[in-house]
Amino acid sequence: MIFYGMPVFENIAVFQGDLFMVVLKFGGTSVGSPEAIRKLIGILGDSEHAGKVRVVVVSALSGVTDSLIGLARQAAEGEVARAALKTLEERHRKISHAFLAGTERQETDAAIKASFAELSRTLDGIGILRELSPRSFDYVMSFGERLSAALLAHICTAQGVQAEYLDARPLVLTDGNYGSARYQGDESYSRIRSYLKKHPALQIATGFIGSNAEGHTTTLGRGGSDLSAAIFGAAMGAKCVEIWTDVDGILTADPKLVKTAFKIDSLSYNEAMELSHFGAKVLHPPTVRPALEKGIPIVIRNTFNPPGGGTRIADDADPGNYPIRGISSMGNVTLVRVQGSGMVGMTGFSARLFGALARKGISIILITQASSEYSICVVVAPQDGPLAAAVIGEEFEREIASGAIEAPAVMEDLAIIAVVGSNMEHTTGISGKVFHALGRNGINVVAIAQGSSEINISAVIGAQDVAKALNAIHEAFFLAGVRTVNLFLIGIGNIGGTLLDQITSHKETLADQYKIRINLVGVANSSRMIFNPAGLEPKKIRGVLSSGDIKQGSAGTELLPLTLPEFIRKMKSFNLPTTAFCDCTANPDVAAVYAEILQAAIPVVTPNKRANSGSLDYYKTITGYSRDRGIPYLYETTVCAGLPVISVLRDLALSGDKVRRIEAVLSGTLSFIFNNFDGSKTFSALVREAKAKGYTEPDPRDDLNAMDAARKALILARECGMSLEFPAVAIEPILPPSCFKANGVEAFFTELEKADADFEKRRLEAAKEGKVLRYVSIIEEGSARLSLRAESPGSPFLSLVDSDNIVVITTDRYSKLPMVIKGPGAGAQVTAGGVFADILRIARTLV
Ligand code: ADP
Ligand code: ASP
Ligand code: MG
């Protein structure tokens, strides 16, 4: 195969004519099925393109290059996968049969057959030698594009679009770097020009492949058909190169990872280069160069949505409305770190380091160096990691032996995310926002690099965090979209169930007015748990969980028996950004897992008092995690339901005020009983009434023992900075001990009736002075106590009605007249409402 030595013949007339022509490139999915090919033919014939397309560059049918790679590797192991080969041949034949009949079909079938016979012989050769040289590898890969371009040329012609097959290998001259060969511009351009001069028909050309000076087949690197199109465009001085693919253009992020990604209308060559270099697969990175050199715009468009407009890459890109253009990611990279005190001030260190890597052909994706010069990190492809470390180890053998430098450290399973945009040059606070989004989502940053052009900020993170990081940053910058909180809820009784109702009924207002979306990902009742990262339907969850019938759920939903460790494991494994865990149980076991959840950087929202009124140690641990790492832990509803008590105390402290005393009625049940204890009924009759109204627990002693109020008092005391354990809260008993000895609720009431006279006596004594009885929690001077007090007229406690709570806060600033917070302090609606508000607070703080 000798391709060189072709006459180089410049024909100005053709060249100028081509200035008005365009080059189209269709990717694998755009030629992968008869439907796609129909779209392609439609595009060639539409009013925008008819008569204006000079060259169509095509990729192999989708998946074919991967199959060829698999076949070649298997052959090198000594096995030629005949069945796979047959399937591949059949796939091409099927496409041909969808369009061609009669002699055309026979001819094409024969051509396909001949190609596969040649491929089969090549694989046999590899199998016999058990050796897959880079050169043979490229040759095997070249079949994909050759088959698709030849097939498409036949199909187009048969469909009325006259076209010729063009094997681009002799035209695209490259070096001998098999696998990712570099094209040689001027020579390729003149070969292309002279070829086109002699072939005026529409050319359907192979993408991806070229040949070196010896005439051997080379490939331009995975995704390289885009580059082929740009080379043709540059050679012709085309008006434009259109890259047709399966997305609407270059989006703000990879749509497979970020559902809310949207199309970028225009971007500069540099921005396109940065985005594609750092993983935006939609464009093969070197594609930009020939287009940039010749000033030819590249437009990325969707074969399946031609009116979609696409993304235009050119010099005159509109600056756009956002401070960044897009975010891309490159999964699976390896970082090699060299550090040591001996590096400081050592001249020529970097030159030696990069020289050594370059000599072994190791390409460096990203470099960071701390200004202390104490360490340098280079990021390389995973397969290059061990070699890079060995090469560096060799180069600096002497320095390592002397201890001036440490042996290079290799970190695997990393990824790079890159935030790209020219507007960053003129805007401050971009990196703050990027790293805030990462930090708030608990994503550890291993290394950071910012080019001096300020058009790209890159961060190296754990590979497992890529989707989470992209989504978090995407939400932070493109806020025009709805912010999503991914919610995990445990406990769907009274409060949790009401919360689900509120989420359902408030959904539209939240989305329309506040641009917040609650995505319920996992929910559990006491026996089952259900998950769907795409979102559960709040209305259906209770039914599915209580019946255990998955059919009521939507597709992708998983229903399992509940175990707390598994619930947490799943929640972590989804690794979603802006996640919140909400505990609507009263269960101490659930409270005991908050530490683990906060440690995983997942915010916790809870009305469950158990965690904050448990051991002081645990309270300090979880509030400490939250404070130190900025992971929200929100528990407003643990005291007085939806009333703003905790947040008020926090604001007072933040603004430098000091709480001197809190006096409060913290139990709705006790509030109801004493508010109504006015002599019209006996005390026991009032308790019965409270029970009948559903204000008490099934056994009213669970309220009258004041434990619940004491827990709330402890939470408030701790909120004021007091280091108290629960037993230190002094509880004045309301009931005589005999009441607690009684067996069963009725026996309790009999005992309580015996105490009616005593209660009445206390009431009358107070009433004589115009006072009333209230069961009050008092927090002051490092202590908390609960006692039955006679309140004087004028006290805010007198105005209490029904089952309201009241919190009276005396501070340095509120010293003469205390601050009073009063209102319903229990009930599913107000509690769930408070929990809901805490969840929304997360949406507002995390993004
Ligand atoms: P083709 O076969 O047409 O060359 P590719 O698969 O090479 O198509 O590239 C298109 C794919 O690139 C899309 O399907 C999308 O998943 C992926 N992609 C990654 N990042 C981006 C991005 N920022 N914008 C658009 N697509 C992206
Ligand atoms: N077929 C080649 C690949 O899959 C080239 C391309 O599609 O651009 O990498
Ligand atoms: Mg591609």
Side-chain angles (χ1 to χ4, degrees):
M1 276 181 283
I2 302 294
F3 297 134
Y4 53 92
M6 281 191 165
V8 176
F9 192 79
E10 296 279 16
N11 182 313
I12 299 303
V14 170
F15 180 52
Q16 283 190 340
D18 286 348
L19 275 175
F20 304 99
M21 302 297 272
V22 294
V23 173
L24 267 50
K25 177 259 169 177
F26 289 88
T29 41
S30 303
V31 291
S33 65
E35 299 75 57
I37 293 174
R38 257 174 230 123
K39 299 261 180 211
L40 179 160
I41 292 169
I43 292 164
L44 291 181
D46 68 19
S47 57
E48 194 188 334
H49 296 96
K52 300 196 181 88
V53 184
R54 185 72 184 86
V55 179
V56 171
V57 174
V58 292
S59 292
L61 312 191
S62 51
V64 167
T65 309
D66 286 335
S67 305
L68 291 169
I69 290 172
L71 283 165
R73 292 204 173 123
Q74 252 181 305
E77 302 284 306
E79 192 197 327
V80 175
R82 304 269 167 224
L85 210 48
K86 267 258 126 346
T87 313
L88 212 52
E89 184 173 347
E90 194 47 39
R91 176 146 177 233
H92 287 85
R93 209 183 353 254
K94 266 208 179 122
I95 300 259
S96 133
H97 288 196
F99 294 95
L100 306 175
T103 47
E104 276 167 352
R105 179 188 283 196
Q106 279 164 9
E107 274 172 33
T108 321
D109 278 357
I112 294 172
K113 199 164 178 203
S115 284
F116 274 90
E118 189 193 340
L119 172 59
S120 181
R121 276 197 306 279
T122 310
L123 293 171
D124 282 338
I126 293 169
I128 290 163
L129 296 172
R130 293 200 176 218
E131 197 213 346
L132 179 60
S133 67
R135 182 173 135 190
S136 315
F137 206 178
D138 273 7
Y139 184 63
V140 171
M141 282 195 279
S142 75
F143 279 89
E145 269 66 12
R146 289 191 281 143
L147 279 159
S148 67
L151 188 53
L152 202 72
H154 278 116
I155 292 174
C156 283
T157 307
Q159 298 285 309
V161 181
Q162 284 301 320
E164 282 173 14
Y165 166 53
L166 167 55
D167 181 341
R169 286 178 295 172
L171 307 186
V172 176
L173 177 71
T174 73
D175 65 9
N177 186 21
Y178 296 103
S180 61
R182 276 172 290 266
Y183 72 97
Q184 294 178 6
D186 291 341
E187 179 59 24
S188 303
Y189 298 160
S190 48
R191 289 183 185 187
I192 289 170
R193 283 199 285 259
S194 63
Y195 187 91
L196 291 180
K197 184 199 144 266
K198 285 193 258 158
H199 298 81
L202 168 66
Q203 298 297 306
I204 311 274
T206 53
F208 185 48
I209 54 178
S211 63
N212 63 9
E214 286 80 44
H216 298 306
T217 302
T218 54
T219 62
L220 302 171
R222 292 305 305 271
S225 299
D226 298 345
L227 173 58
S228 306
I231 294 171
F232 273 97
M236 290 160 50
K239 184 166 162 266
C240 159
V241 173
E242 293 181 5
I243 311 251
W244 290 81
T245 181
D246 60 353
V247 277
D248 277 348
I250 299 189
L251 310 188
T252 46
D254 184 348
K256 293 200 175 94
L257 300 174
V258 178
K259 294 275 168 292
T260 49
F262 56 92
K263 181 170 76 79
I264 304 168
D265 291 331
S266 75
L267 67 171
S268 69
Y269 291 114
N270 283 338
E271 289 171 323
M273 211 142 33
E274 295 282 349
L275 275 174
S276 59
H277 175 71
F278 284 101
K281 184 193 167 203
V282 63
L283 188 68
H284 182 59
T287 305
V288 178
R289 211 182 104 206
L292 181 148
E293 282 168 0
K294 305 273 175 184
I296 298 169
I298 302 174
V299 184
I300 320 273
R301 299 182 67 174
N302 191 347
T303 307
F304 306 92
N305 181 26
T311 297
R312 188 168 183 277
I313 303 166
D315 265 337
D316 55 352
D318 182 274
N321 300 325
Y322 297 97
I324 67 166
R325 280 285 195 213
I327 317 152
S328 59
S329 66
M330 194 186 256
N332 201 7
V333 294
T334 292
L335 180 142
V336 183
R337 191 183 60 221
V338 199
Q339 64 181 30
S341 49
M343 277 168 61
V344 182
M346 188 198 275
T347 45
F349 178 87
S350 313
R352 276 173 68 197
L353 176 75
F354 300 130
L357 293 171
R359 278 195 295 282
K360 291 283 176 192
I362 298 171
S363 132
I364 300 170
I365 303 166
L366 179 147
I367 304 164
T368 68
Q369 175 171 25
S371 61
S372 66
E373 295 185 32
Y374 177 72
S375 84
I376 292 189
C377 297
V378 291
V379 176
V380 296
Q383 65 273 18
D384 291 339
L387 179 63
V391 167
I392 296 169
E394 245 168 64
E395 176 69 34
F396 295 100
E397 203 178 350
R398 226 163 15 94
E399 288 84 348
I400 293 169
S402 73
I405 293 175
E406 294 167 23
V410 177
M411 290 172 77
E412 292 179 328
D413 298 325
L414 297 174
I416 299 174
I417 47 165
V419 176
V420 171
S422 312
N423 284 353
M424 297 200 299
E425 271 182 275
H426 325 291
T427 322
T428 52
I430 306 281
S431 46
K433 211 166 181 174
V434 171
F435 295 107
H436 175 81
L438 294 178
R440 285 296 172 121
N441 281 284
I443 297 164
N444 187 36
V445 176
V446 179
I448 299 169
Q450 175 169 18
S452 58
S453 66
E454 285 191 46
I455 179 179
N456 173 338
I457 299 171
S458 305
V460 181
I461 60 171
Q464 76 284 357
D465 285 330
V466 167
K468 188 175 173 179
L470 286 176
N471 280 284
I473 298 174
H474 196 266
E475 288 211 343
F477 282 98
F478 300 108
L479 271 186
V482 173
R483 283 171 283 176
T484 301
V485 179
N486 292 300
L487 184 64
F488 291 82
L489 169 66
I490 201 157
I492 50 164
N494 221 353
I495 297 173
T498 310
L499 177 65
L500 287 180
D501 294 339
Q502 292 182 355
I503 290 174
T504 312
S505 59
H506 199 39
K507 195 170 142 190
E508 262 137 46
T509 329
L510 270 184
D512 295 348
Q513 287 182 18
Y514 303 101
K515 306 255 184 240
I516 294 175
R517 189 172 79 94
I518 307 277
N519 187 40
L520 266 175
V521 182
V523 181
N525 66 2
S526 54
S527 57
R528 299 191 180 94
M529 52 190 186
I530 184 169
F531 298 96
N532 188 342
L536 297 158
E537 183 60 60
K539 270 189 279 188
K540 289 187 184 159
I541 291 171
R542 265 172 293 186
V544 179
L545 283 176
S546 59
S547 66
D549 182 0
I550 191 84
K551 281 200 295 294
Q552 293 178 35
S554 48
T557 304
E558 204 182 350
L559 181 67
L560 302 162
L562 171 70
T563 70
L564 261 182
E566 184 58 13
F567 190 92
I568 296 170
R569 199 195 60 74
K570 289 217 77 102
M571 182 166 66
K572 286 192 206 164
S573 71
F574 289 126
N575 207 14
L576 299 165
T578 324
T579 294
F581 170 79
C582 178
D583 168 19
C584 284
T585 72
N587 190 320
D589 295 341
V590 182
V593 298
Y594 295 175
E596 185 186 348
I597 295 173
L598 288 166
Q599 244 180 334
I602 297 173
V604 173
V605 172
T606 185
N608 180 354
K609 289 179 275 297
R610 291 302 182 141
N612 281 16
S613 63
S615 79
L616 182 63
D617 228 25
Y618 188 61
Y619 170 80
K620 287 195 164 156
T621 305
I622 53 180
T623 48
Y625 282 155
S626 166
R627 197 182 39 246
D628 298 346
R629 302 185 53 200
I631 312 297
Y633 170 45
L634 303 176
Y635 45 87
E636 180 64 85
T637 48
T638 53
V639 179
C640 300
L643 294 182
V645 179
I646 306 277
S647 49
V648 164
L649 287 176
R650 206 163 277 176
D651 287 348
L652 288 172
L654 266 179
S655 63
D657 203 355
K658 179 115 185 74
V659 175
R660 296 287 162 206
R661 185 169 60 253
I662 298 176
E663 292 167 295
V665 169
L666 299 173
S667 153
T669 317
L670 296 179
S671 179
F672 174 84
I673 292 171
F674 287 104
N675 295 347
N676 290 290
F677 190 34
D678 55 7
S680 59
K681 280 191 192 102
T682 62
F683 189 76
S684 62
L686 261 177
V687 176
R688 274 192 199 276
E689 187 186 327
K691 177 168 162 37
K693 286 196 153 145
Y695 285 180
T696 71
E697 295 294 323
D699 185 337
R701 286 174 293 186
D702 290 338
D703 297 294
L704 287 157
N705 65 11
M707 284 300 165
D708 190 59
R711 285 191 182 285
K712 293 175 184 164
L714 178 64
I715 294 172
L716 290 184
R718 287 176 172 175
E719 202 59 35
C720 296
M722 299 177 196
S723 289
L724 288 183
E725 292 283 8
F726 188 64
V729 180
I731 306 172
E732 179 187 325
I734 300 169
L735 301 176
S738 60
C739 279
F740 290 100
K741 292 194 191 110
N743 208 352
V745 175
E746 258 324 299
F748 151 66
F749 272 114
T750 313
E751 279 306 314
L752 186 62
E753 279 157 19
K754 291 181 197 161
D756 274 342
D758 278 346
F759 278 109
E760 184 57 16
K761 197 168 142 228
R762 276 186 89 165
R763 191 191 70 77
L764 278 172
E765 267 168 24
K768 256 191 272 168
E769 298 172 37
K771 295 179 178 175
V772 294
L773 294 180
R774 296 287 183 263
Y775 193 70
V776 182
S777 301
I778 303 130
I779 296 146
E780 65 183 341
E781 289 169 358
S783 75
R785 61 183 198 281
L786 284 79
S787 74
L788 190 57
R789 284 199 327 202
E791 295 291 324
S792 318
S795 141
F797 290 86
L798 254 73
S799 63
L800 273 183
V801 292
D802 202 31
S803 62
D804 281 0
N805 281 189
I806 185 167
V807 181
V808 180
I809 306 171
T810 308
T811 71
D812 284 352
R813 287 184 201 143
Y814 291 87
S815 56
K816 286 209 182 73
L817 263 187
M819 181 193 280
V820 177
I821 302 164
K822 192 171 77 168
Q829 282 297 341
V830 288
T831 311
V835 172
F836 199 2
D838 271 349
I839 294 170
L840 297 180
R841 216 157 273 145
I842 289 173
R844 291 201 299 272
T845 52
L846 278 195
V847 286

